Amino acid sequence: MPKSAVSTEHAPTAVGPYSQGMIANGFIFTAGQVPLDPTTGKLVEGDIQVQARQSLNNIKAILEEAGTSMANVIKATVFLADIGDFAAVNEVYATFFEAPYPARSAFEVANLPLGAGVEIEVVATLE
């Protein structure tokens, strides 16, 4: 099964030994995206909604580089530093997707890279 990496300057560069995304068997699997600004390499400043929007914009850029879009996301996983932010993240999340919405899991975790409040990863089909 051939696989290929996806990389774009419109999303943050990997901060470790991983790819922004991997394509295999007609799917793209993104790495988890914390709210890093791809131009500065730093966490965006703002509340959890600002952070969620940046994480999703990073995912959108990776998907577009792979030739697909948010409309083809079939599964998302959301990691939250505080599950109390679930509703606020949902408000932003809903602006990136249309029904039928992707399957999704959301978890509170002890810590996220760089002290982020949210990290999101997705699996999408290729167009």
Side-chain angles (χ1 to χ4, degrees), residues 77-124:
T77 306
V78 179
F79 304 94
L80 297 164
D82 180 354
I83 200 69
D85 290 332
F86 184 80
V89 169
N90 263 347
E91 288 180 23
V92 174
Y93 182 93
T95 68
F96 282 80
F97 299 101
E98 295 179 5
Y101 298 104
R104 186 181 73 183
S105 301
F107 303 93
E108 179 179 274
V109 295
N111 290 299
L112 289 168
L114 306 173
V118 62
E119 181 173 358
I120 303 170
E121 63 183 27
V122 303
V123 177

Side-chain angles (χ1 to χ4, degrees), residues 16-32:
Y18 62 88
S19 299
Q20 290 174 330
M22 289 296 296
I23 294 173
N25 288 341
F27 295 94
I28 177 168
F29 302 80
T30 70

Side-chain angles (χ1 to χ4, degrees), residues 12-60:
T13 57
V15 295
Y18 62 88
S19 299
Q20 290 174 330
M22 289 296 296
I23 294 173
N25 288 341
F27 295 94
I28 177 168
F29 302 80
T30 70
Q33 294 297 304
V34 294
L36 288 176
D37 179 326
T39 59
T40 66
K42 297 184 180 190
L43 285 176
V44 295
E45 293 185 21
D47 64 14
I48 195 65
Q49 289 190 322
V50 170
Q51 291 187 40
R53 187 170 293 105
Q54 184 64 54
S55 292
L56 288 161
N57 279 327
N58 293 343
I59 288 169
K60 183 178 177 190

